[in-house]
Amino acid sequence: MLYIIGLGLSNEKDITVAGLEIVKKAERVYLEAYTSILMIDKEKLEEFYGRPVIIADREMVESSSDAILASSSTTDVAFLVVGDPFGATTHTDLLLRARELSIPVRTIHNASIMNAIGACGLQLYNFGQTVSMVFFTDSWRPASFYDRIKENRDIGLHTLVLLDIKVKEQSLENMARGRKIYEPPRYMTVAQCAQQMLEIEAEKKEGAYSPNTLAIGVSRLGSLDQQFVAGTLEQLAEADLGPPLHSLVLLGKRVHELEIDYIRAFAADVEAFNSAYEMEHGRE
């Protein structure tokens, strides 16, 4: 059987009891290591599990998944995913391939950014579509996120923005020359995300948000040193939330005063926070 096991958000101890029991008896254990990362090294996992862990990068999962799946028809294989197994479409694709090969699959769920983001103080019921923000380049500035945010904002909903992770990426030159040389890992920060959002609003001018729109920067969610910083997009474009991973939540106009009271404690500048809230939301 192929077991797809969620690891949670932070460290080796976030795995569920059910997941750990499977890992300890599986023939092989893979760790998917490109849609997200844990805040510990692979060696920590191996020490805790008492088992070797095989790193499954994008190339292996997307191009060589048959090697993982083939043996799953005769042995138990554990495929570990940071967060929850269904937090990325890649893992749905793996399940579809297993189904085609008549390989039985069992999923072990865990916490993910999609539900743990409630720790920032905003009600999960009031979130709309989740969007992703990628690193801009000189020739590539995708802005599809903008329309999704505008749709959320038009009906008053908050937006969770997931930030880009570049792990084991090749430069265009090395890719063109077929050289297996990889760039250093990069993880987008809240400041970079906010700046790119403001750049796209300045280009489109459709009012999906503004420099004064309130947002919450989130870093290392689920860890002991998780951090939240609330402020305007303009403020967050200058904020430093420390090491990865980062994400950002843009407040919707349907925000409740209890939510505001909760997140005000995270404000970089309480006076500026209150002023921005009055400007965009007002009080009934």
Side-chain angles (χ1 to χ4, degrees):
M1 180 173 287
L2 173 66
Y3 293 93
I4 303 185
I5 301 171
L7 294 183
L9 292 168
S10 180
N11 59 46
E12 73 278 13
K13 295 182 180 178
D14 283 350
I15 192 171
T16 63
V17 173
L20 183 59
E21 289 176 346
I22 292 166
V23 166
K24 286 184 174 295
K25 72 180 182 66
E27 183 75 17
R28 285 198 315 285
V29 180
Y30 293 92
L31 172 64
E32 186 268 277
Y34 63 90
T35 58
S36 189
I37 59 166
L38 283 176
M39 299 171 206
I40 55 169
D41 295 329
K42 178 185 76 131
E43 289 71 25
K44 270 281 190 182
L45 290 181
E46 292 178 325
E47 180 183 349
F48 187 71
Y49 299 156
R51 301 293 311 286
V53 174
I54 303 165
I55 294 294
D57 58 22
R58 182 186 298 274
E59 184 177 349
M60 174 183 286
V61 177
E62 295 186 349
S63 303
S64 305
S65 63
D66 289 348
I68 299 172
L69 294 175
S71 58
S72 302
S73 61
T74 55
T75 60
D76 287 338
V77 173
F79 186 81
L80 310 181
V81 178
V82 177
D84 186 81
F86 290 102
T89 54
T90 295
H91 311 126
T92 304
D93 183 59
L94 190 65
L95 284 167
L96 288 172
R97 296 186 199 183
R99 183 185 296 172
E100 291 174 359
L101 296 170
S102 299
I103 295 170
V105 178
R106 182 183 172 196
T107 302
I108 307 297
H109 294 283
N110 210 321
S112 78
I113 185 70
M114 303 296 286
N115 65 307
I117 196 62
C120 76
L122 298 178
Q123 298 169 8
L124 292 178
Y125 292 128
N126 289 334
F127 277 77
Q129 303 167 88
T130 297
V131 302
S132 297
M133 178 70 68
V134 301
F135 283 109
F136 287 175
T137 68
D138 293 339
S139 58
W140 191 56
R141 296 163 57 86
S144 58
F145 71 88
Y146 184 87
D147 293 334
R148 304 290 82 76
I149 289 177
K150 190 172 189 306
E151 290 169 358
N152 288 344
R153 296 267 295 169
D154 284 346
I155 55 176
L157 300 179
H158 312 312
T159 303
L160 171 60
V161 185
L162 304 178
L163 310 192
D164 202 3
I165 296 172
K166 296 292 187 187
V167 179
K168 203 174 180 182
E169 299 277 339
Q170 292 176 278
S171 67
L172 291 176
E173 180 183 353
N174 286 328
M175 192 180 300
R177 295 176 179 272
R179 297 186 298 213
K180 296 290 185 179
I181 301 174
Y182 301 99
E183 300 293 295
R186 288 193 298 152
Y187 307 99
M188 182 178 286
T189 66
V190 164
Q192 290 170 317
C193 174
Q195 181 57 49
Q196 290 188 177
M197 290 175 66
L198 292 173
E199 289 174 13
I200 296 301
E201 176 57 52
E203 293 174 7
K204 288 184 171 287
K205 298 182 173 66
E206 296 176 19
Y209 46 81
S210 76
N212 288 318
T213 297
L214 287 174
I216 306 171
V218 183
S219 60
R220 300 174 300 286
L221 184 61
S223 70
L224 293 175
D225 67 340
Q226 68 182 13
Q227 185 177 3
F228 304 101
V229 176
T232 65
L233 280 177
E234 191 171 47
Q235 289 174 319
L236 291 181
E238 302 294 332
D240 180 3
L241 276 77
L245 293 171
H246 290 193
S247 53
L248 182 143
V249 180
L250 197 68
L251 269 66
K253 293 188 178 180
R254 199 183 291 179
V255 63
H256 192 278
E257 285 192 22
L258 287 177
E259 294 175 287
I260 288 296
D261 288 343
Y262 191 96
I263 65 178
R264 187 179 282 111
F266 306 136
D269 181 323
V270 174
E271 186 175 338
F273 178 92
N274 289 337
S275 176
Y277 174 56
E278 291 287 351
M279 185 183 304
E280 281 227 336
H281 303 271
R283 289 188 182 274
E284 297 180 358

